[in-house]
Amino acid sequence: MIRRPPRSTLSSSSAASDVYKRQALGDFLLVGVLPDDVVHSQKGLNWPIMALHERVLNVSACKYVDDVLIGASNSVSQDMINTFNICKVAGGSPSEIQGEHDPFLVPKQLGIYVQLQKSENQLQTGDVADRIIAQHTKYAKRNASRSQKELDYYSQTKQYVADTN
């Protein structure tokens, strides 16, 4: 089973690289996609970038993914491991919450948890979102300036030109 952290989707190249690494751990890759409300509560306003159905379609389109668990729980439980006959659970970030709130606590206790190395590609979905916001702000300022210049032209300098027929 693969568990995508709430901070990522398959819309970044590093996330796709992580999926490839996880696929190499076994012969069947089950990807759990968290519900929108869980991602929103953990990541904050404007997250997730894509709605649940868009993220599911995105993950399903990945050639390394065999099946998708829609609306997966935030943590991997013993029941989930038994139900899906999970042999390995791969985590991508060592900075996950530790202790009793660790989403990988049960797999770690069972000895089936595998920590993946951080991707060499550092481009994350958050980076793309930050770029979009920065460009949006830049263009909004530019358009506001142009709009003001246009209003000034119409109100102050534009004069009626008589028809010369």
Side-chain angles (χ1 to χ4, degrees), residues 1-3 28-32 64-69 80 84 86:
M1 175 192 177
I2 175 176
R3 176 190 176 273
F28 189 87
L29 183 60
L30 173 66
V31 179
Y64 306 115
V65 175
D66 295 307
D67 202 359
V68 179
L69 181 59
M80 182 185 292
F84 295 106
I86 296 170

Side-chain angles (χ1 to χ4, degrees), residues 59-91:
V59 171
S60 297
C62 181
K63 70 178 181 178
Y64 306 115
V65 175
D66 295 307
D67 202 359
V68 179
L69 181 59
I70 302 171
S73 66
N74 192 33
S75 60
V76 181
S77 66
Q78 181 68 48
D79 182 51
M80 182 185 292
I81 291 170
N82 293 340
T83 301
F84 295 106
N85 195 23
I86 296 170
C87 299
K88 292 183 184 173
V89 176

Side-chain angles (χ1 to χ4, degrees), residues 18-139:
D18 284 349
V19 170
Y20 177 74
K21 289 177 190 174
R22 293 166 201 240
Q23 181 267 341
L25 295 174
D27 58 357
F28 189 87
L29 183 60
L30 173 66
V31 179
V33 180
L34 297 175
D36 292 344
D37 59 331
V38 172
V39 177
H40 181 75
S41 67
Q42 292 182 359
K43 189 69 174 157
L45 189 62
N46 297 327
W47 288 90
I49 301 296
M50 295 183 282
L52 177 64
H53 68 279
E54 293 171 317
R55 289 181 286 135
V56 168
L57 288 172
N58 197 2
V59 171
S60 297
C62 181
K63 70 178 181 178
Y64 306 115
V65 175
D66 295 307
D67 202 359
V68 179
L69 181 59
I70 302 171
S73 66
N74 192 33
S75 60
V76 181
S77 66
Q78 181 68 48
D79 182 51
M80 182 185 292
I81 291 170
N82 293 340
T83 301
F84 295 106
N85 195 23
I86 296 170
C87 299
K88 292 183 184 173
V89 176
S93 175
S95 62
E96 294 283 347
I97 299 171
Q98 301 298 316
E100 65 183 58
H101 299 292
D102 184 357
F104 300 120
L105 183 62
V106 173
K108 286 177 181 176
Q109 290 172 343
L110 295 173
I112 62 172
Y113 177 77
V114 177
Q115 179 68 52
L116 295 177
Q117 295 297 321
K118 190 168 182 139
S119 174
E120 57 278 349
N121 186 337
Q122 299 301 315
L123 181 64
Q124 300 291 324
T125 305
D127 299 331
V128 175
D130 290 342
R131 290 179 186 178
I132 291 170
I133 291 168
Q135 290 299 315
H136 177 269
T137 304
K138 175 182 167 183
Y139 290 120

